[in-house]
Amino acid sequence: MGQEIADALGVLLRRTTRTKLHGRLTEGMGEALDELTYPVLSALARTGPRSAADLASEVGLDRSGVTRRASRLEAAGLVRREPDPADRRASLLVLTEEGERTVGELRERLVRHIARSLDSWPPEEAETFARQLRRFTAEGPFS
C-alpha cells in the first residue's frame, strides 16, 4: 500500500503535473497570470506579504525568478511592493485588492475542477477520500 501511495504522490508532486493544472486554472485570466506566475500569487495568498527572497523557498524558485514573476503580476495590478517595516532596504510583495479577487476566482476554479473530477465517484467515496486525504496530510509524512 505504501508504494501505491508513493507512486500517486509522485504524480501529484511532479512539476509538470502542477504546471499543467496551473495552466488550466489561469486560462483566460489575462496575460500576466499563467502557469509561471500562479505559484507566486497563490503563495502570497497563503503566506501574506513576503519578500521575494522569503517567497522563493515557498514556491521552489530563486529570488530572481520570484522577482521576475512578481514584476509581471505587479504590472497587471495584482501585486504591489511595499517597504519592509523590519528592513527599510527591502520590500515586501503584497496582494492588491484585485490580486485578492483574482485569487478568490482561482480558488473557485480549482474547487470546480476537483469537483468535476470526482463527479463519477459515488458521493460517499468522494467524502471518504476527502476526509482521509485531510487526515493523511495532517498526520502523514508531510506533518
Side-chain angles (χ1 to χ4, degrees):
M1 183 179 341
Q3 185 61 52
E4 281 184 58
I5 293 170
D7 291 346
L9 286 173
V11 171
L12 289 176
L13 297 174
R14 242 187 333 222
R15 172 174 262 152
T16 55
T17 301
R18 292 190 320 265
T19 300
K20 188 190 312 186
L21 175 62
H22 297 163
R24 283 186 189 139
L25 295 176
T26 59
E27 196 170 289
M29 294 202 55
E31 201 172 296
L33 191 54
D34 60 18
E35 65 276 0
L36 299 176
T37 57
Y38 174 91
V40 172
L41 194 70
S42 179
L44 278 175
R46 271 192 321 278
T47 66
R50 290 282 186 270
S51 70
D54 289 343
L55 204 56
S57 63
E58 183 76 22
V59 297
L61 295 169
D62 61 20
R63 192 187 97 240
S64 64
V66 170
T67 299
R68 282 192 303 276
R69 287 158 176 84
S71 293
R72 288 180 54 202
L73 294 167
E74 183 178 27
L78 302 174
V79 168
R80 70 177 180 275
R81 296 173 201 271
E82 293 182 354
D84 184 342
D87 180 357
R88 298 308 255 174
R89 297 168 297 165
S91 64
L92 299 177
L93 300 170
V94 181
L95 288 181
T96 63
E97 285 184 31
E98 181 63 26
E100 289 177 15
R101 279 192 294 276
T102 299
V103 167
E105 183 176 340
L106 287 166
R107 287 179 175 164
E108 288 173 18
R109 284 180 174 209
L110 178 59
V111 166
R112 287 192 306 269
H113 184 68
I114 291 169
R116 277 192 308 272
S117 71
L118 296 173
D119 277 347
S120 64
W121 291 35
E124 62 279 353
E125 283 186 27
E127 289 169 16
T128 298
F129 173 71
R131 190 173 52 256
Q132 296 299 342
L133 182 59
R134 195 171 27 255
R135 179 178 177 197
F136 181 72
T137 57
E139 299 173 13
F142 303 108
S143 57

